[in-house]
Amino acid sequence: MEAAYPPVRAERRAVSEEESRRANGPDWDRYADEYQATHGAFLGDTGFVWGPEGLTEKEAGVLGDVGGREVLELGSGAGQCARWVRSQGGRAYGLDLAHRQLQHSSRIDDASGVVVPSVQATATAIPFAPASFDVVFCSFGALQFVADIDRCIAEVVRVLRPGGRFAFSITHPTRWMFVDDPGPEGLVASQSYWDRTPYVEVDDASGEVSYVEHHRTLGDWVGLLAGAGFRITDLLEPQWPAELDRNWGGWSRTRGLLTPGTAIFGADLAP
Ligand SMILES: C[S@@+](CC[C@H](N)C(=O)[O-])C[C@H]1O[C@@H](n2cnc3c(N)ncnc32)[C@H](O)[C@@H]1O
């Protein structure tokens, strides 16, 4: 069945946390079926892929040993990554804004027999008690969709135990210099790396914001993590595998062989 996408116009403009959430929840509800149909096999029902380059957590080891650990995935979608953590002996839980994504998570729970208990919530108000988790992670999940990143990081700090691990993947910040096109057009720098104005899609008919992504530079992320009491241990920039010829939105072999598409941070909270 075709998803009903309203005609939109793309622009860069300031948007609040509330507007971001009001737009992105319904957008991910609309997109969830297509997202899972298109990328589900690549992700794997019990797989953990950090991004379109296909780097797995098994290869990267950014989370450390998850066996016996309490683990929270932010922006968990259909819970594939959290399910992989469960398969490795970790007690992983999912959190996502979009109800339809969580319905896909339940569907895969039933099909795979590996259940990820999940909650519908926003990463800026995590509904768990302080010091509940040893590890919090996010694979292209909530972080680039929230406006109030200070609140989000403060929430991660609150629910982590002292010495806890935080790891996340995001669109590589340098990508914001280029238009989001998988072809050669997407190799021409035409936008300022330092322009943090969010990318916004506005519904033509209603004038309402219908999708938002937020940009922070590499320096911004370092400052956010260090300022919140984290010691950064990893910044991975996975290379595009020469044999991988699969597009994922604006990610492609054409671009991936020349410029990084994903940044993965790993950091430890002070003990
Ligand atoms: C690109 S998907 C990634 C999902 C999953 N990690 C994966 O690898 O397939 C981004 C997810 O972030 C969720 N999301 C967006 N904004 C969020 C927020 N403020 N809080 C929690 N989840 C959010 C979306 O609903 C969506 O499921």
Side-chain angles (χ1 to χ4, degrees):
M1 197 173 73
E2 286 284 302
Y5 295 110
V8 294
R9 67 169 187 280
E11 56 186 49
R12 303 285 292 271
R13 68 141 124 134
V15 275
S16 68
E17 174 55 34
E18 210 212 314
E19 255 183 313
S20 302
R21 223 166 38 231
R22 223 173 34 223
N24 287 335
D27 183 82
W28 278 100
D29 280 334
R30 273 192 299 275
Y31 181 43
D33 291 4
E34 183 185 331
Y35 179 84
Q36 299 302 336
T38 309
H39 303 299
F42 183 76
L43 295 169
D45 286 354
T46 52
F48 190 142
V49 174
W50 278 109
E53 298 82 6
L55 180 70
T56 64
E57 171 55 13
K58 189 169 182 216
E59 295 163 324
V62 188
L63 301 186
D65 183 1
V66 291
R69 302 289 174 113
E70 302 288 339
V71 181
L72 177 65
E73 178 175 9
L74 299 176
S76 51
Q80 289 94 342
C81 299
R83 211 169 281 106
W84 179 86
V85 170
R86 289 236 156 214
S87 75
Q88 305 300 302
R91 286 186 291 278
Y93 301 84
L95 178 155
D96 202 280
L97 190 60
H99 182 244
R100 187 64 183 155
Q101 287 280 69
L102 293 173
Q103 285 184 322
H104 280 286
S105 194
S106 299
R107 170 181 60 76
I108 301 175
D109 285 349
D110 292 344
S112 66
V114 184
V115 176
V116 175
S118 299
V119 61
Q120 186 176 10
T122 170
T124 48
I126 300 176
F128 288 97
S132 294
F133 296 101
D134 303 298
V135 178
V136 175
F137 77 91
C138 179
S139 177
F140 270 88
L143 296 191
Q144 60 200 45
F145 299 105
V146 306
D148 194 348
I149 193 65
D150 291 326
R151 174 95 200 274
C152 180
I153 300 292
E155 280 291 87
V156 171
V157 170
R158 184 182 65 77
V159 299
L160 271 177
R161 295 179 179 143
R165 183 87 175 139
F166 181 36
F168 59 88
S169 61
I170 49 172
T171 301
H172 198 290
T174 56
R175 271 290 159 109
W176 283 73
M177 293 187 287
F178 308 101
V179 290
D180 194 25
D181 185 314
E185 289 280 301
L187 289 169
V188 181
S190 58
Q191 300 162 171
S192 166
Y193 172 70
W194 296 280
D195 181 0
R196 277 85 161 176
T197 314
Y199 168 87
V200 171
E201 291 176 1
V202 179
D203 184 321
D204 269 348
S206 67
E208 294 278 315
V209 174
S210 61
Y211 179 77
V212 183
E213 274 191 52
H214 294 272
H215 168 50
R216 286 111 200 163
T217 65
L218 285 168
D220 292 342
W221 283 111
V222 169
L224 276 163
L225 293 170
F230 286 102
R231 186 177 66 91
I232 298 169
T233 59
D234 299 89
L235 171 51
L236 305 185
E237 297 165 298
Q239 265 191 267
W240 193 272
E243 69 285 359
L244 179 65
D245 200 3
R246 176 182 194 277
N247 287 9
W248 182 318
W251 283 256
S252 63
R253 188 170 188 275
T254 302
R255 299 177 83 193
L257 291 178
L258 294 171
T259 183
T262 299
I264 307 167
F265 281 90
D268 293 327
L269 197 56

